[in-house]
Amino acid sequence: MVFSSLTDGVARGVETLGDTVSETFFEPVIRLGVTGLARSGKTVFITSLVANLLDRGRMGQLVAASEGRIEAAFLQPQPDDTVPRFDYETHLAALTGPEPHWPDSTRAISELRLSLRVRPSGLLSGLQGPRTVHLDIVDYPGEWLLDLGLLDKSFAEWSREVLARIEPRDEADAYRAAVRDVDPAGDLDEVQAKGLSATFTGYLHAARGAGYHDCTPGRFLLPGDLDGSPVLTFAPLPEAERPGRRSLWRAFERRFEAYKSRVVKPFFRDHFSRIDRQVVLVDALGAIHAGPRAVEDMRAGLADILTAFRPGRNAFLTRLLLGKRVEKILFAATKADHLHHTQHPQLTAIMEALTGDASDRAQFAGAMTQAMSLASLRATTEEQVRHDGRELDCVRGRLLETGRQAAFYPGALPDDPAQLLGPARQGADAWLDQDYQVMKFAPAPLSLRAGDGPPHIRLDRAAQFLIGDRL
Ligand SMILES: Nc1nc2c(ncn2[C@@H]2O[C@H](COP(=O)(O)OP(=O)(O)OP(=O)(O)O)[C@@H](O)[C@H]2O)c(=O)[nH]1
Ligand SMILES: [Mg+2]
């Protein structure tokens, strides 16, 4: 992690100038952010998108590709030397090798530059030669966006809120007990400090496991190279009466402030503020399968993530962005290959309803938005199965657990998303009249024709929405 010493405003100003100069005189750059909560499908999405932009045989809905205007696509060294490279080759080998498997979980930010040589369309086509458009894809955990909410809070406010929030939660038993024995005004004892932060981190992990999304500070769960450092060694404390300079309270307060200024702000300044186009991936089917509580939690988590795209609500972001906006946001329900295509419209409607609240209120500050259901890597085929005298629209694939082929009917999604989101909001324990299942399928072994990327569902439409207008 590199900490910049420039102030927020200056950094953004210099960079804006840099962007403009290079876009005007050199080659245009599109920065595409890919985010979503853990396991939402970010790594598979980027891997398959890149593979399908390199080999465009299955990208019929990407207009520049279907018009044959993309003359070449190639990977290049990325512009940011301090960000890990997205490990495209390893992930692709996992997905498309002789024994295909899903890639490992990735827990930090990474970046990849794909460059496209494109012939202009329309009037310009006769006048101009091909130009190069760089697509910088940035993969970052959605959890990091949740930290935005910390910036407006003092340590005292944050502590008060968190302690109140965790009061009724079983997952926090150990932390509540630990805090009871602590005198926040007493001198800092580093062993005690580490113990408290470890117990609090344990609570965050348990809470996330139980489906709570309000698990900040985000880096406590995904520390990366900050693991064990003082900026991650703090925890919420009960208010202290005039704590001294060397007290536990003051130490945690300083670290909380350091977390904000040296972890949260640099992420927003160095990465988030530079994004032009954004995909937010959501494992909506996984949540529906897990039940109403998980759906409600997903909705609330998504709403929190999306506040980052409505910068008017946050003074720091407003200042940082200086009017720059994400131009397009795609909300995509991933893993749609778990459903027969006849049910994809229902899944898309659920996505629209989940993000609709937020887009109505502020229209994401002028960004164009779209909801979609897609599969980055299609692991199933479709099949009709007769069951109890009825034809069921099934999907067939190789089950992850047993390796056996099976046809599978996940249950019918309702035409009206309110039938799911309503009970979820009202705190229902189970779905009333339908049971939803999700099987885990392994990626299918592939034998790709020359020029074809891996099989997908609507990845070409997603690409057209996100970057088609710039090609
Ligand atoms: N059937 C199917 N499963 C998918 C697809 N994309 C992702 N998955 C499943 O979802 C899991 C998570 O996908 P990833 O791309 O690793 O998700 P991620 O958001 O990068 O996850 P983290 O790095 O852990 O945050 C995979 O291991 C697959 O089981 C898809 O297109 N089809
Ligand atoms: Mg990942």
Side-chain angles (χ1 to χ4, degrees):
M1 170 74 38
V2 172
F3 299 133
S4 163
S5 59
L6 292 172
T7 65
D8 308 326
V10 174
R12 183 64 222 158
V14 168
E15 204 181 80
T16 308
L17 186 67
D19 286 354
T20 324
V21 169
S22 70
E23 295 214 359
T24 316
F25 295 104
F26 305 107
E27 292 163 344
V29 176
I30 311 171
R31 275 183 90 82
L32 170 64
V34 179
T35 198
L37 294 171
R39 312 311 287 153
S40 54
K42 302 179 287 294
T43 303
V44 178
F45 176 86
I46 296 174
T47 307
S48 184
L49 178 65
V50 170
N52 277 291
L53 286 173
L54 290 170
D55 287 307
R56 295 173 295 283
R58 296 188 208 257
M59 295 297 269
Q61 297 290 327
L62 178 62
V63 174
S66 67
E67 290 178 353
R69 290 192 290 107
I70 303 181
E71 295 189 340
F74 42 97
L75 293 174
Q76 294 224 71
Q78 68 199 44
D80 301 283
D81 293 330
T82 55
V83 182
R85 180 175 183 273
F86 179 85
D87 195 357
Y88 170 69
E89 292 77 10
T90 305
H91 299 317
L92 185 71
L95 292 172
T96 61
E99 279 170 35
H101 54 275
W102 298 109
D104 292 337
S105 201
T106 44
R107 288 307 152 102
I109 189 162
S110 65
E111 180 180 315
L112 188 72
R113 167 167 283 194
L114 176 81
S115 300
L116 301 164
R117 202 160 59 242
V118 190
R119 256 188 299 116
S121 62
L123 277 178
L124 292 176
S125 56
L127 302 171
Q128 279 184 348
R131 67 208 157 86
T132 302
V133 178
H134 302 293
L135 179 63
D136 288 346
I137 304 176
V138 184
D139 173 8
Y140 65 93
E143 285 82 355
W144 292 8
L145 295 179
L146 301 179
D147 278 346
L148 190 62
L150 301 183
L151 293 180
D152 299 331
K153 294 188 180 119
S154 67
F155 179 62
E157 287 166 336
W158 178 73
S159 287
R160 213 178 305 126
E161 274 181 33
V162 174
L163 292 176
R165 189 193 304 146
I166 69 178
E167 187 58 36
R169 297 186 184 173
D170 295 342
E171 292 79 9
D173 282 352
Y175 186 69
R176 278 198 307 271
V179 161
R180 261 197 296 277
D181 299 336
V182 166
D183 173 14
D187 277 1
L188 166 70
D189 166 359
E190 199 55 56
V191 176
Q192 183 188 45
K194 270 202 145 71
L196 280 172
S197 101
T199 312
F200 184 64
T201 306
Y203 152 72
L204 289 176
H205 278 285
R208 190 178 60 178
Y212 294 105
H213 74 276
D214 51 14
C215 303
T216 55
R219 292 310 156 90
F220 280 45
L221 292 167
L222 306 169
D225 50 5
L226 294 174
D227 208 2
S229 65
V231 281
L232 298 194
T233 313
F234 67 89
L237 292 176
E239 208 105 14
E241 284 284 321
R242 268 183 268 136
R245 215 166 51 80
R246 292 144 64 100
S247 62
L248 179 68
W249 172 277
R250 290 278 175 237
F252 276 13
E253 185 176 43
R254 278 192 300 275
R255 291 173 186 182
F256 178 77
E257 291 304 325
Y259 180 84
K260 292 191 323 194
S261 64
R262 302 180 71 174
V263 178
V264 182
K265 284 187 175 178
F267 164 69
F268 280 94
R269 184 186 57 219
D270 300 342
H271 302 296
F272 185 78
S273 70
R274 298 163 62 203
I275 287 171
D276 306 308
R277 309 282 163 105
Q278 176 70 50
V279 197
V280 180
L281 301 176
V282 183
D283 182 8
L285 280 176
I288 292 167
H289 166 58
R293 171 75 212 284
V295 168
E296 174 56 12
D297 203 73
M298 173 183 65
R299 188 200 58 76
L302 201 56
D304 273 358
I305 282 187
L306 296 183
T307 53
F309 298 100
R310 290 180 284 148
R313 307 258 310 248
N314 183 286
F316 162 75
L317 257 197
T318 307
R319 220 170 351 104
L320 180 68
L321 298 176
L322 293 173
K324 180 180 152 67
R325 295 275 183 267
V326 176
E327 298 156 338
K328 291 185 161 196
I329 311 174
L330 176 67
F331 303 112
T334 50
K335 315 179 194 180
D337 56 330
H338 287 95
L339 290 181
H340 193 273
H341 75 270
T342 47
Q343 290 215 48
H344 290 180
Q346 285 86 328
L347 183 59
T348 305
I350 289 168
M351 247 351 256
E352 267 161 6
L354 276 171
T355 52
D357 287 5
S359 68
D360 291 346
R361 253 180 277 131
Q363 273 109 42
F364 295 101
M368 265 176 84
T369 62
Q370 190 173 334
M372 203 179 272
S373 40
L374 56 82
S376 313
L377 187 84
R378 181 175 196 160
T380 63
T381 52
E382 297 189 337
E383 189 175 295
Q384 287 211 322
V385 173
R386 267 198 95 72
H387 181 75
D388 288 345
R390 190 155 80 100
E391 293 285 347
L392 289 183
D393 289 334
C394 295
V395 291
R396 165 179 287 279
R398 187 163 57 93
L399 297 181
L400 198 58
E401 275 192 356
T402 59
R404 278 220 289 276
Q405 287 281 336
F408 168 70
Y409 180 71
L413 293 176
D415 290 330
D416 177 5
Q419 287 184 25
L420 291 181
L421 302 185
R425 256 185 202 257
Q426 288 147 20
D429 286 327
W431 302 121
L432 260 188
D433 42 23
Q434 184 61 262
D435 222 8
Y436 298 102
Q437 294 191 0
V438 179
M439 298 309 291
K440 288 217 153 194
F441 293 106
L446 300 174
S447 49
L448 297 180
R449 273 183 315 170
D452 272 3
H456 62 79
I457 300 173
R458 280 183 217 101
L459 204 55
D460 50 347
R461 278 178 196 268
Q464 175 61 28
F465 173 75
L466 289 167
I467 61 169
D469 60 316
R470 301 278 302 268
L471 300 180

